[in-house]
Amino acid sequence: MTLATFPASEPKPSWTRYFTFNTDAKVIGIQYIVLAFFFFLVGGLLAMIIRGELITPEADLVDRTVYNGIYTMHGTVMLFLFVFPVLNGLNNLLIPTMIGAPDMAFPRLNAVAFWLVPIFGVLLMSSFFVPGGPAYSGWWSYPPVSIQNPLGHLVSGQGLWLTAVALSGVSSIMGAVNFVTTIIRMRAPGMGWFRMPVFCWTALAAQSLQLIGLPSLTGGAIMLLMDLVAGTSFYDPAGGGDPVLYQHFFWFYSHPAVYVIILPVFGIFSELFPVYSRKPLFGYVYVAVASFIIVGLGLVVWVHHMFPSGVPEWMRNLFMFTTMLIAVPTGVKVFAWLGTLWRGKIRLTTPMLFCLGGLFNFVFAGVTGIMLATVPIDIHVSNTYFVVGHFHYVIYGAAVLGIFAAIYHWFPKFTGRMPYEGLGKVHFLLTFVGANLNFLPMHPLGLMGMPRRVSSYDPEFTFWNVIASLGAFLLGVSVIPFLLNMVSSWVRGPRATHNPWNAIGLEWLLPSPPAEDNFGEHVPVVLSRPYGYGSGEPLVEHQAEIEAALIQAEQLESAR
Amino acid sequence: MTTAYPTPTPAPEGHHAEGHESHNLTGFIIFLCSESVIFLAFFSGYALLKTSALDWLPPGVDGLEWQMPLINSIVLVSSSGTIYLAERAMAKGSLWGFRAFWLLTMALGAYFLYGQAVEWSSLKFGFTSGTFGGTFYLLTGFHGLHVATGVFLMTLMLIKSFIPGNYKGGEQGVQATSLFWHFVDVIWIILFLLIYVWQRS
């Protein structure tokens, strides 16, 4: 074995690099995450206005038209400017370090994909200032509402919305091509498919869905834009068009988009449960392969969003069946996580609490999901708060909690500082209680028949709405300990060692934070899966020497 | 200050390819697969609108002429052959053979665009003439945009071929452009069958 040398402490790079066109995936990852949380605050503020309006039955806080614009922008901002960017940020940080690659396959394309996000973000925000206000047809932009342009201006809120969503699509496709190529081509020596971390499996599955699904939305959106500005009639029955056609295009992507969001979160659960229960991931192969079964099935369930849209009976039954089948691969995963936790040495750290809370909420969302897949129930509760409650349990309850878990877990690796546990636990408590208080009451409201997207409602719905609004304000408060924790830990938190959680994985064999090219020339040869907790088997060749070198460098660093 | 760091045994061949150049083709193929879904969306939208329409053709229009588009199809399909010959010439090391067939392919592509423009200008319906006009111009226009992109890419590759030593040992840009051209060709065949051959509603 030859010994190479590497500088233990490189000159500290300037923080201003986060504001430049940088091609290092770790810089881009943090850029994505920080920008996403800026928009999280914007979307959250809109949510506070919505819940403030709904705390009383009367429409008394904002004008009805403004309210329509606010919920449309809330959904659009949260999906396209928060969830997708934050997940792409995690992909950027984790994929190259987990597979031992120096960077993404196409670093410049990566930077372009990131910088499109603030561009379309500004474009979308600017729609608040055009005549007629922002788009008001809901995040799904169904025609005929979305092809109305009563003021007749060429630049309308809806037009800007469509342009922003199209740019978001371009950015996501660039990202997806990059992530898939990186995972296929740049894995460390010895890392066969079934030695790859589950997070990479789920990221690969999610990004494949982007590649297959997103062009359908883009195609549909181009036709919608033509109807809006060029006078065609693709979706206008007066000219022989069909508004339901748009719903097909939209949901062919936007249902799988839910899996694009939740699959990486499954990956996060699969990475974190073994670390914090000190046991190997139960049923690794099944968990990995189930991701692709979800991809396959996820592409043939979209019509369940359209049961009341006049689709034929056979189609309803077929898509009810395929939708229910999704419960099988997701169930496999849930049981694998429970199997991992079973008799493990559970450590209730902040990331673990977020994972457990996320899993709890996900199972609840899964149960209401099966209810919604059933045609008679769906038709009864379609367009009510039951649906709103269901998808907020998925997106906030499961996905956002999983994202927080990932941020707390990998924060030391990429900043070199430890987050504070106390603030983290307060954040968890507020988030978990707030989310359940906010979204649980939406289910009885929906069953009672309260429609979504209304600013006033029958007084009989008041009780549950007040509870939901209180929960929402609690969620609003919950971001304070989070932001405090992130900023103060990053600036002056305790120094993180290379492996503070005693976790297994290539990323934990790098210094915290890693050098710009990660392992550089010295990519270790992978010997096993990264889940050998309790077995004592090494993950890579020469593991003891690598760890000794890292510890030595840390000791030298702290001695200075 | 430096620290001893163990170097692993040499990597087994396969995964860790050096440089970014070698990933380009993989990335491009992934992109093309994704791009084909937009066409799939347009094609299925066309079929759905057509089969459910009460009056498919706008008043005063009784179908599309197919002779000229057929000539155009033959031109485009044969250009797939010439681009293959260009690639083969390059593989054999004949740079001038490559340039000749490459230029021929570009000419055929340009002729296709010219034919498309002539056809468009002779039509009696526009983009806003119902779903028939809308889908016709959307499909042919979106495909035409791809043909134009292909010709543009070929121009770039042709210019690059004059930089000395650039194309020694093959060139991924040429492979990618050629792949793109075949893709555009296959899309046209499906489009021709859907729009010009399947005329009865």
Side-chain angles (χ1 to χ4, degrees):
Chain A
M1 187 182 76
T2 52
L3 283 179
T5 51
F6 81 114
S9 54
E10 292 163 358
K12 213 177 170 203
S14 163
W15 58 273
T16 49
R17 70 191 188 283
Y18 291 111
F19 296 92
T20 60
F21 190 85
N22 195 304
T23 55
D24 177 5
K26 289 183 293 298
V27 173
I28 294 176
I30 289 174
Q31 286 177 321
Y32 263 120
I33 292 172
V34 173
L35 183 71
F37 273 101
F38 168 75
F39 283 111
F40 182 65
L41 295 181
V42 174
L45 187 71
L46 296 172
M48 294 301 108
I49 300 174
I50 292 171
R51 286 316 318 177
E53 172 64 76
L54 292 177
I55 205 163
T56 57
E58 299 82 24
D60 42 14
L61 188 64
V62 289
D63 186 72
R64 281 176 200 276
T65 324
V66 176
Y67 184 82
N68 292 343
I70 286 176
Y71 68 68
T72 300
M73 295 298 271
H74 164 73
T76 311
V77 167
M78 285 303 200
L79 284 170
F80 294 106
L81 286 162
F82 169 62
V83 182
F84 286 132
V86 81
L87 288 171
N88 273 352
L90 289 174
N91 284 340
N92 263 296
L93 295 178
L94 297 178
I95 290 172
T97 50
M98 279 182 157
I99 64 174
D103 202 332
M104 300 287 291
F106 310 112
R108 259 175 305 157
L109 187 73
N110 198 17
V112 173
F114 165 73
W115 281 102
L116 277 174
V117 180
I119 291 173
F120 76 76
V122 168
L123 202 65
L124 194 68
M125 290 301 113
S126 69
S127 69
F128 277 105
F129 306 104
V130 297
Y136 45 74
S137 48
W139 85 280
W140 60 27
S141 262
Y142 275 5
V145 182
S146 57
I147 49 179
Q148 312 297 315
N149 189 5
L151 295 178
H153 293 295
L154 185 63
V155 178
S156 61
Q158 188 67 44
L160 286 172
W161 186 94
L162 279 167
T163 318
V165 168
L167 281 178
S168 153
V170 171
S171 159
S172 294
I173 289 289
M174 286 177 175
V177 167
N178 216 340
F179 295 129
V180 171
T181 310
T182 307
I183 293 175
I184 291 177
R185 296 293 303 267
M186 296 175 74
R187 300 196 307 280
M191 187 184 276
W193 288 109
F194 287 103
R195 283 185 191 168
M196 192 163 73
V198 171
F199 181 82
C200 296
W201 272 96
T202 55
L204 183 66
Q207 297 301 320
S208 311
L209 269 180
Q210 289 280 52
L211 290 168
I212 302 167
L214 203 44
S216 159
L217 176 66
T218 311
I222 291 172
M223 290 161 77
L224 194 67
L225 194 63
M226 292 299 146
D227 274 7
L228 188 68
V229 300
T232 54
S233 49
F234 297 117
Y235 305 129
D236 181 8
D242 182 4
V244 178
L245 179 63
Y246 174 81
Q247 298 185 14
H248 282 290
F249 287 147
F250 182 82
W251 288 115
F252 183 78
Y253 170 63
S254 296
H255 186 78
V258 180
Y259 302 118
V260 175
I261 294 165
I262 204 71
L263 276 166
V265 175
F266 291 169
I268 292 164
F269 290 167
S270 309
E271 296 298 329
L272 267 57
F273 283 137
V275 177
Y276 297 109
S277 50
R278 312 312 299 165
K279 275 183 64 196
L281 178 65
F282 183 83
Y284 166 90
V285 174
Y286 298 96
V287 175
V289 171
S291 312
F292 275 88
I293 296 175
I294 293 175
V295 169
L297 281 175
L299 285 166
V300 289
V301 299
W302 80 92
V303 175
H304 69 218
H305 293 270
M306 300 163 57
F307 286 154
S309 298
V311 291
E313 193 63 40
W314 65 266
M315 226 187 215
R316 286 177 172 180
N317 292 337
L318 180 69
F319 280 86
M320 172 166 78
F321 178 68
T322 53
T323 306
M324 289 186 170
L325 274 186
I326 289 269
V328 178
T330 40
V332 165
K333 292 198 175 211
V334 171
F335 281 111
W337 298 323
L338 293 179
T340 308
L341 294 170
W342 182 252
R343 294 190 163 183
K345 275 188 224 152
I346 310 276
R347 289 191 287 170
L348 289 178
T349 56
T350 305
M352 182 61 159
L353 286 172
F354 271 107
C355 271
L356 290 170
L359 178 58
F360 174 86
N361 290 338
F362 177 72
V363 171
F364 184 84
V367 172
T368 55
I370 294 289
M371 289 172 73
L372 282 167
T374 319
V375 175
I377 298 180
D378 181 78
I379 288 175
H380 178 64
V381 296
S382 186
N383 267 335
T384 69
Y385 260 87
F386 192 84
V387 179
V388 180
H390 163 73
F391 70 70
H392 277 91
Y393 259 89
V394 181
I395 307 289
Y396 204 108
V400 175
L401 264 70
I403 288 165
F404 281 135
I407 287 175
Y408 282 105
H409 181 70
W410 280 289
F411 185 90
K413 177 49 61 191
F414 295 101
T415 62
R417 305 280 185 163
M418 295 300 290
Y420 297 112
E421 272 295 296
L423 277 174
K425 281 178 178 150
V426 171
H427 175 213
F428 168 73
L429 200 69
L430 289 173
T431 307
F432 187 72
V433 174
N436 279 288
L437 215 55
N438 188 350
F439 306 129
L440 192 67
M442 292 180 175
H443 296 85
L445 281 174
L447 291 173
M448 287 156 77
M450 178 174 166
R452 68 195 283 201
R453 295 174 174 160
V454 290
S455 60
S456 60
Y457 52 82
D458 193 286
E460 67 166 316
F461 303 135
T462 312
F463 173 73
W464 289 116
N465 270 301
V466 171
I467 305 270
S469 289
L470 292 178
F473 300 147
L474 210 56
L475 277 185
V477 173
S478 76
V479 299
I480 295 170
F482 172 67
L483 293 180
L484 264 180
N485 199 353
M486 292 296 109
V487 174
S488 59
S489 317
W490 202 352
V491 174
R492 48 183 300 172
R495 292 255 172 219
T497 60
H498 70 281
N499 192 359
W501 311 118
N502 202 6
I504 298 174
L506 281 185
E507 78 270 31
W508 302 108
L509 293 174
L510 286 164
S512 303
E516 192 179 326
D517 57 353
N518 298 337
F519 290 100
E521 301 285 300
H522 314 294
V523 185
V525 178
V526 176
L527 299 173
S528 66
R529 290 168 193 162
Y531 303 102
Y533 295 94
S535 72
E537 280 173 28
L539 175 71
V540 296
E541 274 181 17
H542 311 304
Q543 177 150 336
E545 291 97 318
I546 294 173
E547 284 179 340
L550 285 163
I551 290 167
Q552 195 191 349
E554 280 159 10
Q555 282 166 349
L556 284 167
E557 179 76 16
S558 61
R560 287 203 305 164
Chain B
M1 187 198 311
T2 55
T3 307
Y5 198 81
T7 307
T9 44
E13 93 294 1
H15 293 313
H16 226 78
E18 49 293 310
H20 295 143
E21 191 66 17
S22 53
H23 307 313
N24 290 356
L25 205 60
T26 313
F28 193 74
I29 291 168
I30 292 168
F31 169 75
L32 276 189
C33 293
S34 182
E35 184 76 352
S36 64
V37 182
I38 291 200
F39 281 104
L40 196 70
F42 285 157
F43 288 153
S44 51
Y46 174 85
L48 211 93
L49 287 172
K50 180 167 173 154
T51 47
S52 63
L54 297 174
D55 301 304
W56 178 238
L57 297 173
V61 178
D62 34 64
L64 289 160
E65 282 292 328
W66 55 269
Q67 286 90 342
M68 185 154 175
L70 184 65
I71 295 169
N72 245 350
S73 308
I74 294 166
V75 167
L76 201 63
V77 171
S78 43
S79 75
S80 252
T82 58
I83 205 167
Y84 168 73
L85 292 174
E87 265 197 292
R88 234 179 52 163
M90 175 178 270
K92 284 182 182 162
S94 156
L95 206 50
W96 280 107
F98 159 74
R99 285 177 191 137
F101 280 116
W102 200 252
L103 204 62
L104 183 60
T105 313
M106 286 168 62
L108 291 170
Y111 178 82
F112 176 89
L113 285 174
Y114 165 76
Q116 186 82 71
V118 170
E119 194 206 351
W120 276 17
S121 62
S122 69
L123 291 174
K124 289 198 283 291
F125 57 88
F127 193 30
T128 53
S129 311
T131 43
F132 171 78
T135 48
F136 174 82
Y137 284 102
L138 184 75
L139 281 172
T140 52
F142 196 61
H143 177 265
L145 211 61
H146 279 73
V147 176
T149 309
V151 174
F152 174 72
L153 288 176
M154 282 190 261
T155 315
L156 283 185
M157 293 304 138
L158 190 66
I159 295 168
K160 271 179 87 176
S161 80
F162 286 98
I163 301 169
N166 213 2
Y167 283 177
K168 267 181 196 145
E171 164 61 29
Q172 288 204 327
V174 169
Q175 283 176 289
T177 309
S178 159
L179 210 61
F180 183 75
W181 197 249
H182 294 310
F183 167 78
V184 168
D185 196 6
V186 170
I187 294 290
W188 175 259
I189 294 170
I190 302 169
L191 198 155
F192 183 77
L193 290 173
L194 267 180
I195 292 190
Y196 295 97
V197 178
W198 179 38
Q199 293 229 20
R200 279 182 306 114
S201 43

